[in-house]
Amino acid sequence: MRDMQIHKNTSLKALNTFGVDANTKYYCEIHCRDDIAALLDWKAANKVTENMPNLLVGGGSNLLFKSDYEGLVSQICLAGKDIADENEQYVYVTAAGGENWHDFVRWCVAQQFAGLENLSLIPGTVGAAPIQNIGAYGVELADCFESLQAVDLETGEVFEYHKSACKFGYRESIFKSQMLDKLLITSVTFKLIKEDKNPEWKMDYAGVREFLAGKEPTAALISDAVIALRQCKLPDPAVIGNAGSFFKNPVLSLGEWQALKADNPNVPGWEQANGLMKTSAAWLIDQCGFKGYRQGDAGVSEKHALVLVNYGKASGIDLWGVAQEIMASVENKFGVVLEAEPRVL
Ligand SMILES: Cc1cc2nc3c(=O)[nH]c(=O)nc-3n(C[C@H](O)[C@H](O)[C@H](O)COP(=O)(O)OP(=O)(O)OC[C@H]3O[C@@H](n4cnc5c(N)ncnc54)[C@H](O)[C@@H]3O)c2cc1C
């Protein structure tokens, strides 16, 4: 049996892609089921739930630490992936919560399993992907999601969640709301279609079709297109600290949308299934002049108005200050309230 270590006063700088220099009071790594059992024992013995917060971290690519974390941070390092089941048309692939998301997508692509290719190059882990129902290039995780397994952090009970129980929405799920910090997602199963069984390729988004230049689509070609497009548009967190899009695209009622459109005829909008309209947070922020804005070491990417960046020594408070300036400015100019996409702690 592995002896799980609980470390005291550990730096989180390498554990958040903003590169913010914050510490956690306690830190451990979860590599296997025994580590989960040891974590539950330690939590019970140290009254974590009553006296101390408890945070699970995968790749730290959707977190902003405004201050030191006065609790226990557990990094999920569970590894492994396998084909759980298959039939003539579909394959069910299960990956452990600590698997790197992009490596997993590329593995599926290499096996000619289609469905996740549009989600290439999103940082983070498999276990965190359902939390905000990650999405990009016209696809969301929910489109290929079959089920997940999770351990209740209070009782140690294991639960299986099927799609309808996850309450997936736009960058939302039950794990980001009611069940936040209550469950450790140990594995996720995806239903993927075999590439020779006519997958419905999603190419009508932000230059994917143009990148293919008339070639017959394959999961590998679409994945390559998405990677190339993302590399042009988004700053690499290995080079400059960021958490991808910092704001969600606002979803407006028809009345709010019509009022916005009447004053701003060029504002982009996309109809939603429920009669609501989604508009572009990037467009609104750009109109307020924030692209390339900088306040000390905290700023907005020159490549993308939605991406807050840490030029070096920005603290979480510095970055949150810029976020608040942007939110106030957009609300003042357009009457639209922006919501942060990453978790702000
Ligand atoms: C450059 C860049 C580009 C990005 N592009 C996109 C994009 O296109 N689309 C998109 O949707 N997101 C995008 N993101 C955001 C981010 O990559 C995703 O949200 C990703 O799923 C976060 O994974 P993570 O492992 O880093 O999670 P973390 O940041 O470590 O954690 C995020 C949340 O998940 C919880 N969590 C983590 N692991 C588990 C687990 N095993 N069980 C239970 N809870 C857990 C944490 O407690 C936290 O609440 C981008 C980020 C960056 C830096």
Side-chain angles (χ1 to χ4, degrees):
M1 189 195 263
R2 238 179 66 87
D3 190 15
M4 189 189 64
Q5 303 288 316
I6 303 269
H7 304 272
K8 275 190 172 174
N9 299 325
T10 304
S11 170
L12 294 169
K13 195 166 180 201
L15 254 187
N16 72 99
T17 58
F18 264 125
V20 162
D21 202 0
N23 287 331
T24 176
K25 195 165 180 182
Y26 295 102
Y27 167 78
C28 69
E29 289 178 6
I30 303 293
H31 290 266
C32 59
R33 292 271 169 183
D34 285 347
D35 288 350
I36 300 176
L39 168 68
L40 295 186
D41 288 349
W42 191 89
K43 269 163 51 68
N46 291 277
K47 296 197 169 30
V48 169
T49 43
E50 287 163 40
N51 303 333
M52 215 191 295
N54 154 60
L55 178 72
L56 304 175
V57 172
S61 62
N62 214 23
L63 299 173
L64 175 61
F65 291 103
K66 282 194 294 173
S67 60
D68 287 343
Y69 192 72
E70 296 297 329
L72 170 67
V73 168
S74 309
Q75 188 179 13
I76 309 308
C77 307
L78 300 166
K81 53 187 174 300
D82 210 353
I83 295 173
D85 199 3
E86 65 181 303
N87 56 37
E88 207 177 306
Q89 197 171 10
Y90 294 103
V91 59
Y92 296 83
V93 183
T94 300
E99 284 287 323
N100 175 277
W101 174 260
H102 175 67
D103 292 348
F104 171 63
V105 171
R106 289 299 286 184
W107 180 82
C108 295
V109 166
Q111 318 292 313
Q112 301 185 324
F113 302 154
L116 297 177
E117 53 283 352
N118 293 53
L119 303 178
S120 297
L121 212 62
I122 297 181
T125 53
V126 167
I131 304 282
Q132 71 155 5
N133 181 24
I134 57 169
Y137 289 83
V139 172
E140 287 181 338
L141 168 122
D143 299 337
C144 296
F145 178 90
E146 179 65 16
S147 63
L148 63 76
Q149 273 212 348
V151 176
D152 184 309
L153 287 166
E154 279 289 300
T155 63
E157 238 178 307
V158 176
F159 290 99
E160 181 147 349
Y161 277 76
H162 285 267
K163 195 160 156 179
S164 60
C166 298
K167 299 194 179 153
F168 287 128
Y170 166 59
R171 300 298 173 271
E172 281 300 339
S173 76
I174 195 168
F175 314 107
K176 203 174 174 180
S177 51
Q178 281 133 279
M179 299 313 286
L180 183 70
D181 294 338
K182 291 189 168 67
L183 295 170
L184 189 167
I185 297 173
T186 50
S187 68
V188 185
T189 301
F190 299 90
K191 181 183 179 184
L192 305 176
I193 182 163
K194 294 179 181 174
E195 203 166 317
D196 58 358
K197 300 296 175 199
N198 293 325
E200 250 185 65
W201 304 111
K202 301 273 169 40
M203 295 182 290
D204 293 325
Y205 196 93
V208 174
R209 191 178 290 282
E210 292 75 3
F211 188 94
L212 293 187
K215 280 188 220 137
E216 200 57 37
T218 62
L221 274 177
I222 292 179
S223 174
D224 289 347
V226 169
I227 291 170
L229 291 162
R230 288 181 71 98
Q231 282 171 336
C232 286
K233 285 185 189 160
L234 290 170
D236 178 357
V239 179
I240 184 159
N242 74 89
S245 302
F246 196 87
F247 298 103
K248 289 179 168 183
N249 283 324
V251 179
L252 308 176
S253 69
L254 202 56
E256 289 168 332
W257 164 252
Q258 282 163 345
L260 180 69
K261 184 83 179 159
D263 291 341
N264 307 277
N266 295 328
V267 62
W270 303 275
E271 274 176 37
Q272 303 300 289
N274 44 12
L276 302 173
M277 287 294 286
K278 193 192 275 180
T279 187
S280 162
W283 188 89
L284 299 173
I285 295 167
D286 212 359
Q287 297 303 302
C288 293
F290 278 104
K291 204 190 232 173
Y293 174 78
R294 185 166 175 172
Q295 195 54 261
D297 266 358
V300 179
S301 168
E302 280 164 7
K303 284 184 172 182
H304 203 309
L306 262 190
V307 181
L308 296 196
V309 288
N310 178 1
Y311 284 101
K313 292 204 160 83
S315 67
I317 294 276
D318 296 338
L319 288 157
W320 185 237
V322 169
Q324 284 182 309
E325 247 186 276
I326 292 171
M327 288 189 269
S329 182
V330 167
E331 188 169 2
N332 196 25
K333 190 170 167 74
F334 298 108
V336 174
V337 177
L338 292 181
E339 192 187 329
E341 186 180 302
R343 185 161 173 198
V344 181
L345 292 140

